[in-house]
Amino acid sequence: MHNRPEKVGILVQLGLEGKFSEIKQLLPIYQELKLPMTLVDIGLTVEHKAELQQIAAQSVKEGEDIQLFFPDINKEKVAAAMENLEILTNDASQSMD
């Protein structure tokens, strides 16, 4: 199984900020550098609800940097951003092929 992130990445942060055009600008760079862009890239899918919730919960623990950017953040918001990002990245990666 692939390594799973303990923290959410910059793409999820941009999704939480609603900066979808910035995400689209970064995706070709992520693809060129072979960085994970989709859940499949880290060995997950949106059907892995428990794992996504676990990653989201880990990312919002007390003391995590995400709280500096989003004081009212919770695991549900992070999980939703991850799922929304999955839709966006899959659509974008299909158009890049």
Side-chain angles (χ1 to χ4, degrees):
M1 185 77 49
H2 292 94
N3 289 333
R4 297 211 175 122
E6 292 182 13
K7 298 183 180 191
V8 296
I10 188 70
L11 296 178
V12 174
Q13 179 181 331
L14 290 170
L16 286 166
E17 294 173 352
K19 296 182 176 179
F20 303 108
S21 63
E22 285 89 341
I23 292 171
K24 289 180 182 179
Q25 290 175 352
L26 284 174
L27 292 181
I29 297 167
Y30 270 62
Q31 188 174 43
E32 182 178 327
L33 296 174
K34 299 188 182 347
L35 295 173
M37 307 187 320
T38 66
L39 292 174
V40 171
D41 292 342
I42 61 168
L44 295 173
T45 67
V46 290
E47 285 76 34
H48 289 96
K49 298 285 186 193
E51 290 90 343
L52 294 178
Q53 286 293 323
Q54 184 178 18
I55 292 168
Q58 183 73 21
S59 72
V60 298
K61 281 187 170 179
E62 188 174 336
E64 292 295 332
D65 291 343
I66 197 169
Q67 294 173 351
L68 299 172
F69 299 104
F70 309 100
D72 64 339
I73 197 69
N74 59 42
K75 67 180 182 180
E76 290 78 17
K77 289 178 183 178
V78 173
M82 290 167 45
E83 290 183 23
N84 290 336
L85 180 62
E86 185 68 1
I87 294 166
L88 180 67
T89 55
N90 279 320
D91 288 348
S93 66
Q94 287 175 3
S95 67
M96 285 186 243
D97 291 336

